[in-house]
Amino acid sequence: MREIVILGSTGSIGTQTLEVVRANKDYKVTGLAAGSNVKLIEEQIAEFRPEMVCMWEEAAASELKTRLEAAPFTAPEIVVGMEGLIKLSSECPADIVLTAVVGMVGIRPTLAAIQAGRDIALANKETLVTAGHLIIPAARKAGIRLLPVDSEHSAIFQCLQGEAEYGNKISRILLTCSGGPFRGKTLEQMREVTVEDALKHPSWSMGKKITIDSATLANKGLEVMEAGWLFDVPLDQIEVVIQPGSVIHSMVEFEDGAVKAQLGTPDMKLPIQYALYYPKRRHLAGERLDFTALGSICFEAPDRENFPALDLALRAGKTGGSMPVVFNAANEWAVAAFLERKLPFLGIAQKIREAMDAHEADWNASPDVGEILAAEAWTRAFLLKSGPAKRVAI
Ligand code: NDP
Ligand code: MG
């Protein structure tokens, strides 16, 4: 039995990972981590019997301890906060750590897991976007595998099998994108959109933060940076292509002009399972593509004018250093403010731009972990001071 630790086990990716583990029956879940969802993690503990569990919130950890007192099995060790996440990632026995927390909180536990020699199944893209220059060399040094879970990156990774080992060079990555719920809309038409409108993703069911990122196209911008790090490809060789319906999960063009694509139904269990059993494929229950019913697959160029977060991400990625940290921290802050109805939808890109412009003077070419976290704190403080935008100029 291989052993797995899952960071973010109560979320969209976390619960689907546990579905894959449940169906295959040959992974032992040794560790779980969540933010505050005591009820669900208690159920997961009863089913999977991990050795160690981390709750981000102190109160949630205390409540979980109390609830487990009467459990008819040996309760796991409960650890708390960042210290707990790092302990879980590096000390709890594991062959692989699946990182599915949301945001930059994943940086330190991911680095700790790498340094402890564990393979990483990476869903938490914010970690790679903001600390890729530390994660990639650390992974190389430790000789561990960094296996993509994000569907586009899993698709690219699958296309590269049988190519990379022969040194066959990528000429372009074609990163596909559904376009999100507002595809075809103008800025004016998006001025009054609500949280509910933005949470209606046309093809994927995901956590709230990434669903909003998909509506602004910030997600695709993060994914371009993620692909740059994972596949060592310059950002101007990565092209975003809108493919409504998410049938093609991404494509790779090689030097001879050949294009390979990975297609499938929009089901995250496929990339999760591929990462867990790489390089093997296994049966996965679920719907299969019906090409005659599908009829056609269409493509469009992304609308950069009405979805400015995409170009802001590319600007951040090309600038590098601390700029992607500021892009990402501003986006995390603005998405949270939008979800709390304190910022209009269009305010998300506006706040990212404000923070990036203000950061130019303090740009750091190669921030270490402390400097990354300081740039994150600076961004949040800057945006808090800038005040919530009630009406946004477009
Ligand atoms: P969710 O919001 O559904 O889940 C987040 C998980 O992280 C929950 O288990 C949550 O716990 C936990 N969590 C949040 N904050 C902390 C913290 N500080 N410490 C410990 N645990 C924490 O997110 P998703 O599953 O949608 O996304 C997870 C990551 O995967 C993101 O980086 C996202 O971009 C990426 N991703 C997601 C995809 C998807 O289909 N959902 C596709 C591709 C990438 P609690 O429930 O207690 O709050
Ligand atoms: Mg994706």
Side-chain angles (χ1 to χ4, degrees):
M1 289 268 262
R2 294 189 77 211
E3 293 172 323
I4 185 168
V5 164
I6 303 171
L7 310 183
S9 67
T10 53
S12 162
I13 294 289
T15 52
Q16 292 182 85
T17 302
L18 287 172
E19 276 181 54
V20 168
V21 167
R22 191 182 286 123
N24 282 283
K25 301 187 177 62
D26 53 3
Y27 256 103
K28 177 170 168 32
V29 178
T30 51
L32 298 172
S36 60
N37 190 342
V38 173
K39 189 172 175 294
L40 183 53
I41 209 155
E42 190 185 8
E43 286 169 25
Q44 294 177 345
I45 292 167
E47 180 179 355
F48 294 99
R49 309 286 172 86
E51 295 168 25
M52 197 186 290
V53 169
C54 176
M55 295 307 288
W56 180 255
E57 289 181 13
E58 188 96 47
S62 308
E63 189 189 335
L64 184 61
K65 272 187 202 154
T66 312
R67 286 166 81 138
L68 287 171
E69 270 166 16
F73 52 83
T74 313
E77 179 185 355
I78 310 289
V79 292
V80 188
M82 181 54 73
E83 215 176 285
L85 276 176
I86 292 172
K87 183 167 184 193
L88 183 73
S89 307
S90 56
E91 291 179 26
C92 183
D95 299 291
I96 189 162
V97 175
L98 184 129
T99 65
V101 294
V102 188
M104 292 170 64
V105 71
I107 296 175
R108 293 175 65 201
T110 305
L111 276 170
I114 292 173
Q115 281 151 6
R118 281 96 203 267
D119 285 342
I120 304 290
L122 184 108
N124 176 223
K125 64 190 82 180
E126 296 91 342
T127 282
L128 202 56
V129 164
T130 55
H133 60 293
L134 305 176
I135 302 274
I136 300 292
R140 264 194 213 120
K141 189 169 167 212
I144 60 105
R145 281 172 169 163
L146 203 55
L147 299 153
V149 169
D150 210 344
S151 59
E152 295 77 2
H153 305 75
S154 174
I156 296 161
F157 187 54
Q158 292 178 55
C159 292
L160 290 175
Q161 299 306 309
E163 305 285 354
E165 52 264 56
Y166 299 111
N168 292 343
K169 292 213 181 70
I170 298 172
S171 70
R172 257 189 323 163
I173 286 179
L174 298 149
L175 196 72
T176 52
C177 172
S178 72
F182 304 137
R183 181 173 64 89
K185 288 203 191 302
T186 62
L187 287 170
E188 189 54 48
Q189 288 167 329
M190 287 185 279
R191 200 191 266 282
E192 307 290 349
V193 294
T194 63
V195 170
E196 290 70 24
D197 297 330
L199 285 175
K200 275 185 212 129
H201 195 278
S203 28
W204 295 95
S205 162
M206 311 179 283
K208 283 186 183 170
K209 194 264 177 178
I210 184 173
T211 305
I212 302 304
D213 287 351
S214 301
T216 59
L217 297 199
N219 181 53
K220 215 41 63 177
L222 292 170
E223 290 184 354
V224 170
M225 294 189 256
E226 186 186 6
W229 284 118
L230 281 171
F231 306 112
D232 196 19
V233 170
L235 300 193
D236 49 18
Q237 277 173 246
I238 305 173
E239 188 176 324
V240 174
V241 182
I242 305 287
Q243 195 276 292
S246 310
V247 175
I248 300 183
H249 297 310
S250 277
M251 304 182 266
V252 179
E253 184 188 88
F254 295 92
E255 281 185 307
D256 59 357
V259 178
K260 283 167 81 173
Q262 189 256 325
L263 288 72
T265 52
D267 181 352
M268 284 308 297
K269 288 197 287 299
L270 193 157
I272 293 169
Q273 180 167 286
Y274 192 72
L276 262 45
Y277 292 100
Y278 174 79
K280 294 228 162 90
R281 291 189 186 276
R282 290 199 166 185
H283 174 74
L284 179 67
E287 279 183 39
R288 299 295 186 253
L289 283 180
D290 177 344
F291 285 93
T292 48
L294 197 63
S296 62
I297 304 176
C298 300
F299 303 95
E300 294 169 12
D303 177 352
R304 295 170 180 278
E305 208 175 301
N306 291 301
F307 294 86
L310 178 58
D311 276 351
L312 286 167
L314 299 185
R315 176 181 142 201
K318 284 181 184 163
T319 307
S322 54
M323 200 54 94
V325 177
V326 173
F327 171 89
N328 183 72
N331 183 53
E332 286 187 25
W333 182 91
V335 169
F338 171 67
L339 286 170
E340 287 167 22
R341 297 168 208 272
K342 291 178 182 157
L343 186 73
F345 182 72
L346 299 182
I348 299 174
Q350 195 192 52
K351 289 290 167 195
I352 297 172
R353 190 192 307 277
E354 277 175 36
M356 284 175 60
D357 288 349
H359 180 64
E360 298 271 4
D362 295 321
W363 180 74
N364 177 342
S366 188
D368 61 20
V369 175
E371 289 165 335
I372 289 172
L373 301 178
E376 180 192 23
W378 172 85
T379 307
R380 289 175 182 276
F382 170 81
L383 290 174
L384 207 59
K385 243 184 5 217
S386 78
K390 284 279 179 259
R391 294 291 300 180
V392 179
I394 56 174

